C-alpha cells in the first residue's frame, strides 16, 4: 500500500504556467525539474501535475488526444520519465492526472467512433442510435459524424463521454449498454492500459478527473463504485503501490471504490466555499463567516468513511479562484494553519504559498474562462516575466499579474515574516507530529453557528494536539476544561486559560499539545 500518502503534502503544478526553460512562453518538464528543489525546500514531498498529454487544448489538456504521448510543448515522454526520476531522487512522489471520463474530439478513438461502418471503437463512446435522440440528462454532440446518432458529452461540447455503460440501461432505449457489455468492458481495459503505461514508466499514481461520473444513469454511484473496484483489483495485482486520489467529493463512495483519498470539492454540498470563497468567508478577519455547516458536512463524510478521514482539502486549484482573491495578508497565514492541520493530504496550488493573486479581467485561455485568472504564470523573482520565461511578455501562455507589488518566491524566501515561511514552518510541524498528519483522528471541540474560534482535536496514539483558530480580528473565547500544556505553533499570540474559559487572540492560530 502506498504508505507515503500518510504524510504526503502535495504541490499542484499546472505545467503551462510553472516554469518555461526554452523561451516559448509556456512551462515545460525541464522547468518542473529545475524547480523541484524549491518545492522540496518548502516542505512538500509530492506533486500532482495537471494533464500534460497530447491535446488540442480546448480545456487546457483535459481533452486528451493521446493518453500515452505527452504534449510536445512540455517535452517528450523521455523528459517526463526524467521528471519521475528526479522526483524520486529527492524522496518525493508524483501523481499524473488521469482523465478517464472523456477524450477530445480529436482522439483517434473518437474519429473511428464517428464512422458509419462498425469498427473496434463504435461502442467506445456513449452514442444514441439516431441523431435526433439526445441522451437524457446529458449534453450531447451531434451533426459532426457520418454515423447516425448523438454522442453524450461530459463537460465542454468538445469532450465526448467514454462508454463505461449504464448502471440500469433503459430497455426502451436500445442504445444504452450495460456495464458488462463488450464496448464498456473494452473502454475500461483501454483505460487500464493507460494506467499501466505510466506506472511502468515510473509515476506513483493518479489524481483522477471526475472519477464519480463514469457509469451513466447511476444516481447512487453503485455502478461507478463497482467499476473502480475492478480497477483496484487490477492495481492490487500489478501495481500495489500505486496511489489513487479522486475528484469525487463523496469519500464514502470513492474509498469503497478503492481510492486512497478523495478531494473536498468546491462545488456540490461540501460548504468548502464558506471557508474561503464567498461574500463573508470564515477566514476573513471581518469575522462574519460561518464554519458550522462546513463542519457538519465534513463530519458526515468522516463518519460515513469510517473515520478514515482521507478527505483532501486543497488551498485552491486550477478550477477555483485564488485564495488571495478573498483573503489578504495575515488572513492567509491563518488559513494555511487550518489547511495544514486537517486530516487527509493537504494540496497546495502552485503560487498559493506566496499568496499569488487572481488576475482580474483576463480573456479566456484554452477553455479557462473565469478560471484563467487563477492560472497565470508563477512568480519566481523580479527579473523579466517574474523569472517564469524569457519570451516577450505578449507571447506568454497567460499574461503575468500586472501588479507592481506582485509577490515573488525570491522576495518571500528572503523575508522571515512572509507567507512562504509560515507555510514552510507549518509543514515542518505537521511532519514532526503524527497526530497532525493524514490519518490522525479529528474531533471538533468548538464549531458553533456564526461564531469564532474554530477548535479541534487531532489525535494519533498517545499524542493529542488541540488546534485553535481564530481568523476574526477580535479576541474570542470558548468554554472548555482542556488544558493546553505545550505550544507547538502559534501565530498572532497564544491562548490564555482561566476557570474553564479559553481566550483566543484575534487573527491567531495555535497548535497545543495536551
Ligand atoms: C475537472 C478538472 C477541470 C476540467 C474538467 C473536465 O473538473 O479539474 O479543470 O475542466 O474536469 O475534464
Ligand atoms: Ca517552454
Amino acid at each position: 500500500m502506498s504508505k507515503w500518502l500518510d504524510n504526503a503534502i502535495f504541490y499542484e503544478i499546472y505545467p503551462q504556467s510553472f516554469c518555461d526553460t526554452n523561451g516559448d512562453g509556456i512551462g515545460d518538464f525541464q522547468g518542473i525539474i529545475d524547480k523541484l528543489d524549491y518545492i522540496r525546500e518548502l516542505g512538500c514531498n509530492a506533486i500532482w501535475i495537471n494533464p500534460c498529454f497530447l491535446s488540442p487544448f480546448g480545456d487546457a489538456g483535459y481533452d486528451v488526444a493521446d493518453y500515452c504521448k505527452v504534449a510536445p510543448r512540455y517535452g517528450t515522454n523521455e523528459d517526463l520519465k526524467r521528471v519521475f526520476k528526479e522526483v524520486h531522487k529527492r524522496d518525493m512522489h508524483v501523481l499524473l492526472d488521469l482523465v478517464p471520463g472523456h477524450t477530445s474530439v480529436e482522439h483517434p478513438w473518437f474519429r473511428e467512433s464517428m464512422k458509419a461502418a462498425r469498427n473496434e471503437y463504435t461502442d467506445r463512446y456513449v452514442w444514441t442510435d439516431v441523431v435526433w435522440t439526445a441522451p437524457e440528462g446529458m449534453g450531447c454532440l451531434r451533426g459532426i459524424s457520418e454515423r447516425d446518432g448523438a454522442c453524450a458529452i461530459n463537460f465542454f461540447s468538445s469532450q465526448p463521454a467514454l462508454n463505461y455503460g449504464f448502471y440500469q440501461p433503459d430497455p426502451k432505449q436500445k442504445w444504452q449498454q450495460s456495464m458488462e457489455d463488450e464496448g464498456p468492458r473494452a473502454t475500461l481495459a483501454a483505460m487500464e492500459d493507460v494506467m499501466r503505461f505510466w506506472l511502468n514508466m515510473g509515476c506513483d499514481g493518479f489524481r483522477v478527473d471526475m472519477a464519480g461520473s463514469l457509469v451513466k444513469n447511476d444516481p447512487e454511484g453503485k455502478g461507478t463504485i463497482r467499476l473502480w473496484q475492478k480497477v483496484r483489483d487490477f492495481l492490487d495485482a500489478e501495481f500495489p503501490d500505486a496511489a489513487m486520489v479522486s475528484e469525487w467529493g463523496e469519500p464514502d463512495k470513492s474509498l469503497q471504490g478503492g481510492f486512497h483519498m478523495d478531494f473536498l470539492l468546491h462545488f456540490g454540498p461540501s460548504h468548502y466555499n464558506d471557508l474561503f470563497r464567498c461574500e463573508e468567508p470564515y477566514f476573513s478577519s471581518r469575522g462574519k463567516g460561518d464554519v458550522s455547516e462546513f463542519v457538519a458536512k465534513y463530519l458526515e463524510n468522516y463518519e460515513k468513511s469510517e473515520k478514515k478521514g482521507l478527505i483532501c482539502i486543497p488551498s485552491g486549484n486550477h478550477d477555483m479562484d485564488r485564495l488571495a482573491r478573498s483573503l489578504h495578508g495575515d488572513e492567509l497565514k491563518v488559513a494555511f494553519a487550518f489547511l495544514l492541520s486537517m486530516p487527509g493530504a493537504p494540496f497546495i496550488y502552485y503560487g498559493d504559498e506566496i499568496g499569488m493573486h487572481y488576475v482580474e479581467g483576463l480573456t479566456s485561455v484554452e477553455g479557462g474562462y473565469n478560471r484563467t485568472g487563477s492560472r497565470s504564470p508563477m512568480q519566481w523573482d523580479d527579473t523579466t516575466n517574474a523569472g517564469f520565461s524569457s519570451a516577450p511578455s505578449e507571447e506568454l501562455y497567460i499574461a503575468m499579474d500586472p501588479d507592481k507589488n506582485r509577490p515573488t518566491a525570491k522576495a518571500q524566501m528572503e523575508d522571515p515574516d512572509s507567507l512562504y515561511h509560515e507555510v514552510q514552518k507549518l509543514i515542518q510541524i505537521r511532519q514532526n507530529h503524527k497526530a497532525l498528519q493524514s490519518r490522525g483522528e479529528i474531533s471538533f471541540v468548538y464549531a458553533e453557528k456564526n461564531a469564532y474560534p474554530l477548535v479541534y482535536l487531532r489525535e494519533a496514539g498517545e499524542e493529542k494536539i488541540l488546534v485553535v483558530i481564530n481568523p476574526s480580528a477580535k479576541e474570542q473565547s470558548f468554554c472548555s476544561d482542556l488544558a493546553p500544556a505545550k505550544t507547538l505553533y502559534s501565530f498572532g499570540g497564544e491562548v490564555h486559560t482561566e476557570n474553564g474559559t479559553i481566550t483566543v487572540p484575534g487573527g491567531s492560530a495555535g497548535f497545543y499539545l495536551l
Side-chain angles (χ1 to χ4, degrees):
M1 241 271 285
S2 34
K3 258 321 247 178
W4 60 271
L5 279 177
D6 290 358
N7 71 341
I9 299 185
F10 282 89
Y11 192 88
E12 178 189 344
I13 298 178
Y14 185 73
Q16 291 90 318
S17 295
F18 196 53
C19 178
D20 169 25
T21 57
N22 63 350
D24 63 356
I26 193 151
D28 42 54
F29 291 134
Q30 187 57 48
I32 295 179
I33 293 175
D34 288 355
K35 298 299 183 185
L36 286 175
D37 287 334
Y38 167 83
I39 297 169
R40 196 71 183 104
E41 200 178 329
L42 177 66
C44 294
N45 53 12
I47 60 175
W48 153 34
I49 308 176
N50 289 108
C52 48
F53 314 105
L54 201 69
S55 166
F57 292 102
D59 185 15
Y62 282 94
D63 46 337
V64 177
D66 185 338
Y67 284 103
C68 294
K69 191 174 185 304
V70 301
R73 67 192 203 180
Y74 302 126
T76 61
N77 280 15
E78 279 307 305
D79 293 326
L80 182 53
K81 196 170 169 180
R82 274 197 305 125
V83 172
F84 300 158
K85 278 215 180 99
E86 293 292 329
V87 161
H88 294 149
K89 234 200 243 172
R90 290 164 178 81
D91 223 0
M92 297 166 76
H93 291 89
V94 49
L95 300 185
L96 291 182
D97 208 316
L98 183 72
V99 191
H102 46 270
T103 66
S104 96
V105 281
E106 291 187 13
H107 197 296
W109 296 346
F110 192 65
R111 291 177 181 267
E112 288 300 309
S113 199
M114 285 199 295
K115 291 184 179 163
R118 215 183 147 75
N119 62 58
E120 196 187 335
Y121 303 99
T122 301
D123 296 329
R124 178 70 36 112
Y125 297 81
V126 182
W127 288 92
T128 66
D129 45 5
V130 187
V131 73
W132 314 118
T133 309
E136 212 186 292
M138 290 177 264
C140 73
L141 188 74
R142 49 184 164 178
I144 64 165
S145 64
E146 170 190 271
R147 163 188 191 156
D148 193 5
C151 185
I153 54 165
N154 264 358
F155 198 69
F156 290 147
S157 351
S158 55
Q159 289 162 308
L162 284 162
N163 181 23
Y164 295 92
F166 284 67
Y167 183 58
Q168 281 162 329
D170 178 349
K172 285 187 289 257
Q173 309 274 349
K174 285 272 174 285
W175 53 272
Q176 297 189 358
Q177 302 184 341
S178 92
M179 291 177 67
E180 301 310 326
D181 281 338
E182 205 181 318
R185 285 196 359 241
T187 307
L188 182 58
M191 211 40 72
E192 288 178 351
D193 280 343
V194 172
M195 299 173 77
R196 193 178 278 119
F197 180 83
W198 293 111
L199 289 166
N200 275 331
M201 200 179 279
C203 95
D204 298 296
F206 302 94
R207 173 268 186 189
V208 179
D209 187 67
M210 294 178 65
S213 58
L214 299 192
V215 176
K216 306 304 180 199
N217 192 16
D218 182 24
E220 291 165 42
K222 288 189 180 146
T224 302
I225 293 172
R226 201 195 301 154
L227 184 100
W228 284 112
Q229 284 169 342
K230 289 187 193 164
V231 174
R232 169 71 15 231
D233 291 342
F234 145 69
L235 290 173
D236 283 346
E238 293 183 38
F239 302 96
D241 291 333
M244 298 290 285
V245 181
S246 50
E247 184 196 37
W248 191 324
E250 295 177 280
D252 54 319
K253 295 180 182 157
S254 50
L255 298 191
Q256 259 188 69
F259 282 94
H260 299 107
M261 294 187 175
D262 194 4
F263 275 107
L264 190 77
L265 301 181
H266 64 292
F267 48 89
S270 75
H271 284 277
Y272 171 75
N273 288 342
D274 298 3
L275 304 176
F276 312 119
R277 295 171 179 83
C278 63
E279 212 176 306
E280 288 296 347
Y282 188 72
F283 281 88
S284 154
S285 59
R286 288 189 296 274
K288 293 189 182 146
D290 176 41
V291 78
S292 64
E293 289 186 88
F294 163 79
V295 169
K297 203 70 208 169
Y298 184 91
L299 279 177
E300 191 184 311
N301 277 324
Y302 189 61
E303 297 297 334
K304 278 199 283 192
S305 54
E306 289 151 21
K307 296 202 171 181
K308 288 197 192 112
L310 303 175
I311 310 167
C312 301
I313 311 184
S315 70
N317 67 26
H318 59 289
D319 292 330
M320 51 179 132
D321 289 359
R322 285 271 182 195
L323 201 57
R325 194 180 196 190
S326 48
L327 304 184
H328 310 281
D330 289 350
E331 292 171 338
L332 289 166
K333 296 182 179 173
V334 177
F336 270 103
F338 163 78
L339 290 165
L340 291 165
S341 61
M342 287 292 284
F347 276 73
I348 300 177
Y349 183 50
Y350 82 98
D352 277 353
E353 74 281 15
I354 57 169
M356 264 175 62
H357 305 152
Y358 177 89
V359 181
E360 306 286 341
L362 291 177
T363 303
S364 178
V365 174
E366 295 188 343
Y369 301 97
N370 64 309
R371 307 176 292 183
T372 308
S374 297
R375 299 175 174 184
S376 62
M378 176 67 183
Q379 293 146 204
W380 295 104
D381 55 33
D382 51 10
T383 62
T384 314
N385 299 323
F388 162 69
S389 168
S390 60
S393 54
E394 57 296 348
E395 282 170 28
L396 299 183
Y397 170 72
I398 291 176
M400 301 289 317
D401 177 359
D403 185 350
K404 282 194 198 57
N405 297 319
R406 64 189 175 206
T408 68
K410 180 165 181 280
Q412 295 217 0
M413 289 171 86
E414 285 163 2
D415 171 6
D417 292 328
S418 64
L419 179 61
Y420 168 92
H421 279 293
E422 210 61 40
V423 172
Q424 190 186 46
K425 194 200 281 182
L426 283 160
I427 292 178
Q428 272 167 18
I429 295 170
R430 181 180 175 102
Q431 297 305 48
N432 287 331
H433 296 277
K434 245 189 140 146
L436 292 173
Q437 293 171 12
S438 296
R439 288 175 183 275
E441 283 199 27
I442 185 167
S443 51
F444 288 88
V445 175
Y446 189 88
E448 299 301 308
K449 181 118 200 111
N450 298 322
Y452 291 75
L454 169 65
V455 187
Y456 46 94
L457 197 61
R458 301 291 319 275
E459 284 177 71
E462 294 294 286
E463 190 174 57
K464 283 187 188 191
I465 297 175
L466 187 70
V467 178
V468 185
I469 295 194
N470 178 17
S472 84
K474 281 198 215 112
E475 182 181 279
Q476 308 281 352
S477 60
F478 65 104
C479 291
S480 168
D481 39 22
L482 294 171
K486 184 174 169 226
T487 307
L488 295 177
Y489 170 78
S490 83
F491 173 78
E494 296 184 19
V495 297
H496 170 76
T497 315
E498 207 175 301
N499 302 332
T501 298
I502 300 185
T503 307
V504 195
S508 74
F511 306 165
Y512 306 92
L513 268 184
L514 290 185

